[in-house]
C-alpha cells in the first residue's frame, strides 16, 4: 500500500499530458485532463528506496528489465516530464542521493569511451547513415534524408571555419572520420584525427587507405591530453567530444584546445550543453556514457574565454539533434531483427530508451546542442564580416 501511495503522489504532478498508469495489482489511475496519450504499466513493484536513491537509474533499469512497460511514445513521455516543473525529472536533485564517480584519467577515459563506441561497427552501421556520423545532423530542408543532413552538417562546420587549401586541420574525437576526410578531400587540408575507440581507429585507417590519402591524412589512437605540446594546427574541430571529458577537466580541455591552435587559428567545437547549467544523468552515466557530463552554456563560455580564445559565432542546434535522434531510433527499430541476433532484449530496450529519452530531452529544452566558432588571437580579422559565407554552398 505504501509503494502505491508513493507512486501515485510521484506521478500526480510529473507530466503535462494526460497519462494512464496501470499498477502491479491491476488497478488503474488516470492523470491529467482528456484522453490519456500514454499508458505506463508497472509489471512489478519498483522499490521506493531505489527511486529515492537515484530515480533515473531505478526507473531506467526497471524499463530495461521489463518491470515497466510504456505504451505510446517514450520521447513524448520524457518531454512531458521535463516540461512539468514539479516533475521528479525536472526537480530531480531531491531524488538523487547517489551518483557514480569517475576519475577521467587517461586510462579510465579509454575504458569509458570503448564501453560505448567499441560495441561493434556492424551495430552502428545498422542505424547510423552511411557517413557513420554519430552527432547531430543538420536538416536544411524538411525532406532531407539523414544521410543528406549529415553531409549538410559536415560541410556547414567546414564552411564556418572558412579554411584555406594546404593548411593543417585536427579533429579531436574524430569518430569514424567523415569530417576530417571531407576536410582533406574537399578543402585540400592536411588532416589529423584522434580517437580512443579501437573500432573507430581501424575504420578510419581503412578509409584513408581506400581513398589514397596516406600522404594527407592520419589517425591516431590517442587521448586529447597526449597530442603533444609543440603540435599546432590552423583549424581544430571537436564534435560531440567535450561531454566526455568531465566537469573537472573542462578547463584543461579548453586550455589544450587553445594550445593546439596556431596564432589566429580557428576552432569549431560542437556538443551537448545546457542553458540551465551543467548536469549529469545517473542512468546514462551507468549504462550508456560512463563519465559523461553535460556542461552549462555559461560554464563553457567562461572556460573558452578564460583560455585565450574568443567567440565569433554561437548557434543552437537543439531541434536538429531532436530530429537526428528520431531518425536514429527509426532506423534502430527498422533493423531490430538484425540487432536481436547481436544483443539480448535488455540491451535493445536500453538503447531504445536512450535514443528516445534523449530526443525527449532536446524536444523539451532540457538539453541543447551548441556549435561554438572560436578564434585564437586579438581580432579574428581574417573571418568574413557577416554570416553569409556560412551558407554559401559554392564554397
Amino acid at each position: 500500500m505504501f509503494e502505491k501511495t508513493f507512486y501515485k503522489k510521484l506521478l500526480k504532478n510529473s507530466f503535462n499530458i494526460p497519462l494512464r498508469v496501470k499498477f502491479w495489482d491491476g488497478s488503474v489511475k488516470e492523470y491529467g485532463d482528456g484522453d490519456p496519450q500514454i499508458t505506463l504499466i508497472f509489471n512489478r513493484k519498483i522499490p521506493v528506496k531505489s527511486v529515492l536513491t537515484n530515480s533515473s537509474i531505478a526507473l531506467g533499469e526497471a524499463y530495461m528489465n521489463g518491470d515497466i512497460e510504456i505504451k505510446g511514445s517514450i520521447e513524448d513521455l520524457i518531454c512531458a516530464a521535463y516540461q512539468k516543473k514539479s516533475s521528479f525529472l525536472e526537480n530531480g536533485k531531491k531524488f538523487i542521493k547517489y551518483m557514480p564517480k569517475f576519475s577521467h584519467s587517461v586510462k579510465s577515459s579509454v575504458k569509458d569511451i570503448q564501453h560505448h563506441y567499441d560495441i561493434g561497427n556492424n551495430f552502428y552501421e545498422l542505424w547510423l547513415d552511411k557517413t557513420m556520423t554519430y552527432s547531430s545532423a543538420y536538416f536544411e530542408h524538411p525532406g532531407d534524408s539523414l544521410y543528406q543532413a549529415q553531409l549538410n552538417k559536415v560541410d556547414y562546420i567546414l564552411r564556418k571555419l572558412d579554411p584555406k587549401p594546404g593548411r593543417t586541420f585536427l579533429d579531436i574525437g574524430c569518430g569514424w572520420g567523415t569530417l576530417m576526410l571531407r576536410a582533406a578531400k574537399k578543402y585540400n587540408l592536411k588532416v589529423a584525427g584522434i580517437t580512443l575507440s579501437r573500432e573507430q581507429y581501424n575504420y578510419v585507417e581503412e578509409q584513408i587507405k581506400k581513398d589514397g590519402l596516406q600522404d594527407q591524412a592520419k589517425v591516431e589512437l590517442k587521448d586529447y591530453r597526449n597530442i603533444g605540446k609543440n603540435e599546432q594546427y590552423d583549424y581544430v574541430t571537436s564534435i560531440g567530444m567535450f561531454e566526455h571529458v568531465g566537469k573537472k577537466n573542462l578547463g584543461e580541455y579548453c586550455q589544450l584546445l587553445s594550445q593546439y591552435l596556431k596564432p589566429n587559428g580557428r576552432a569549431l567545437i560542437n556538443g551537448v550543453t545546457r542553458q540551465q547549467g551543467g548536469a549529469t544523468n545517473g542512468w546514462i552515466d551507468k549504462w550508456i556514457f560512463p563519465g559523461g557530463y553535460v556542461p552549462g552554456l555559461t560554464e563553457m563560455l567562461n572556460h573558452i574565454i578564460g583560455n585565450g580564445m574568443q567567440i565569433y559565432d554561437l548557434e543552437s542546434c537543439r531541434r536538429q539533434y531532436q530530429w537526428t535522434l528520431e531518425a536514429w531510433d527509426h532506423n534502430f527499430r527498422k533493423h531490430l531483427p538484425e540487432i536481436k541476433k547481436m544483443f539480448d532484449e535488455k540491451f535493445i530496450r536500453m538503447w531504445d530508451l536512450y535514443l528516445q529519452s534523449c530526443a525527449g530531452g532536446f524536444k523539451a529544452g532540457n538539453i541543447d546542442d551548441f556549435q561554438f566558432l572560436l578564434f585564437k588571437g586579438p581580432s579574428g580579422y581574417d573571418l568574413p564580416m557577416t554570416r553569409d559565407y556560412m551558407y554559401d554552398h559554392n564554397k
Side-chain angles (χ1 to χ4, degrees):
M1 187 65 182
F2 165 71
E3 288 90 350
K4 190 185 292 187
T5 301
F6 170 81
Y7 279 107
K8 283 183 176 180
K9 184 177 180 181
L10 180 73
L11 298 170
K12 181 180 180 181
N13 298 308
S14 285
F15 302 96
N16 69 349
I17 58 174
L19 177 73
R20 177 183 291 112
V21 180
K22 183 178 180 180
F23 292 98
W24 48 86
D25 61 0
S27 61
V28 175
K29 177 72 175 177
E30 293 187 356
Y31 300 94
D33 299 326
D35 295 332
Q37 300 177 23
I38 296 170
T39 299
L40 181 64
I41 302 170
F42 286 86
N43 291 324
R44 298 178 184 83
K45 293 180 184 179
I46 313 301
V48 171
K49 183 179 179 180
S50 66
V51 176
L52 291 175
T53 300
N54 190 298
S55 57
S56 68
I57 293 178
L59 298 177
E61 290 181 346
Y63 181 80
M64 289 165 57
N65 295 327
D67 296 336
I68 290 177
E69 297 286 347
I70 298 170
K71 302 299 182 184
S73 170
I74 296 174
E75 176 184 346
D76 288 347
L77 183 67
I78 295 297
C79 179
Y82 278 127
Q83 289 181 333
K84 186 76 171 180
K85 296 301 181 183
S86 56
S87 168
F88 66 93
L89 285 181
E90 179 63 24
N91 193 26
K93 291 183 179 179
K94 64 190 286 188
F95 290 99
I96 298 177
K97 299 179 181 178
Y98 161 78
M99 285 299 298
K101 304 295 183 181
F102 298 95
S103 71
H104 293 101
S105 66
V106 173
K107 183 177 180 180
S108 67
S109 293
V110 172
K111 184 179 179 181
D112 292 345
I113 292 300
Q114 292 183 352
H115 170 89
H116 186 87
Y117 293 98
D118 284 357
I119 297 172
N121 288 341
N122 56 343
F123 169 65
Y124 285 103
E125 285 171 344
L126 289 174
W127 54 274
L128 297 178
D129 68 290
K130 62 182 179 181
T131 70
M132 290 293 283
T133 304
Y134 190 26
S135 55
S136 176
Y138 201 87
F139 295 86
E140 293 182 355
H141 307 98
D144 283 347
S145 65
L146 177 61
Y147 170 67
Q148 182 61 54
Q150 290 292 10
L151 291 179
N152 294 345
K153 187 272 295 293
V154 168
D155 285 340
Y156 188 42
I157 286 172
L158 292 172
R159 287 199 306 270
K160 279 189 173 185
L161 289 168
D162 195 31
K164 301 299 184 287
R167 296 187 180 179
T168 56
F169 175 97
L170 170 68
D171 191 13
I172 299 174
C174 66
W176 284 276
T178 300
L179 177 61
M180 60 177 281
L181 297 180
R182 184 75 164 173
K185 290 183 282 189
K186 184 172 182 178
Y187 291 95
N188 194 28
L189 300 176
K190 188 173 179 62
V191 305
I194 64 165
T195 178
L196 290 177
S197 163
R198 173 69 64 177
E199 291 273 323
Q200 290 178 343
Y201 169 81
N202 291 338
Y203 185 93
V204 179
E205 275 271 85
E206 184 179 331
Q207 293 303 307
I208 290 173
K209 293 175 183 177
K210 180 180 176 182
D211 293 337
L213 294 171
Q214 293 93 326
D215 294 333
Q216 194 179 346
K218 68 174 182 179
V219 62
E220 296 183 277
L221 199 63
K222 182 179 289 188
D223 188 276
Y224 71 98
R225 290 162 285 192
N226 294 334
I227 291 175
K229 292 183 178 180
N230 297 321
E231 289 193 42
Q232 288 191 315
Y233 297 83
D234 295 295
Y235 313 107
V236 177
T237 54
S238 186
I239 313 302
M241 161 65 186
F242 60 66
E243 307 95 312
H244 294 295
V245 306
K247 181 177 177 63
K248 292 182 179 180
N249 290 346
L250 280 172
E252 182 184 20
Y253 167 84
C254 289
Q255 184 269 321
L256 289 172
L257 183 69
S258 179
Q259 177 182 303
Y260 299 145
L261 279 174
K262 292 180 180 180
N264 295 313
R266 297 193 281 272
L268 191 143
I269 60 176
N270 183 186
V272 182
T273 321
R274 294 186 80 243
Q275 296 193 36
Q276 305 92 330
T280 58
N281 178 283
W283 180 77
I284 288 179
D285 267 352
K286 182 176 180 179
W287 289 100
I288 305 296
F289 285 116
Y293 171 74
V294 176
L297 177 58
T298 56
E299 183 179 14
M300 284 301 299
L301 297 177
N302 287 334
H303 285 306
I304 289 166
I305 295 167
N307 283 286
M309 295 177 288
Q310 294 191 27
I311 299 159
Y312 186 82
D313 190 79
L314 180 63
E315 180 176 359
S316 169
C317 299
R318 175 172 66 86
R319 293 177 64 198
Q320 298 284 355
Y321 219 150
Q322 177 196 336
W323 279 32
T324 304
L325 282 153
E326 289 170 352
W328 286 344
D329 191 63
H330 172 80
N331 291 344
F332 184 86
R333 290 167 172 267
K334 178 181 176 181
H335 290 284
L336 276 178
E338 298 100 309
I339 295 172
K340 287 180 178 179
K341 293 178 182 178
M342 301 177 184
F343 302 103
D344 62 16
E345 184 66 18
K346 182 176 180 178
F347 177 94
I348 291 169
R349 291 172 69 90
M350 176 181 74
W351 270 81
D352 187 35
L353 177 60
Y354 156 61
L355 293 171
Q356 289 204 58
S357 62
C358 287
F362 283 112
K363 187 176 183 179
N366 177 64
I367 47 178
D368 213 316
D369 184 63
F370 278 96
Q371 289 186 0
F372 302 79
L373 177 60
L374 316 173
F375 61 86
K376 179 182 177 181
S379 64
Y381 64 89
D382 55 348
L383 280 167
M385 290 287 285
T386 73
R387 302 182 86 251
D388 291 347
Y389 79 98
M390 299 180 186
Y391 306 112
D392 184 357
H393 286 251
N394 294 317
K395 291 182 74 68

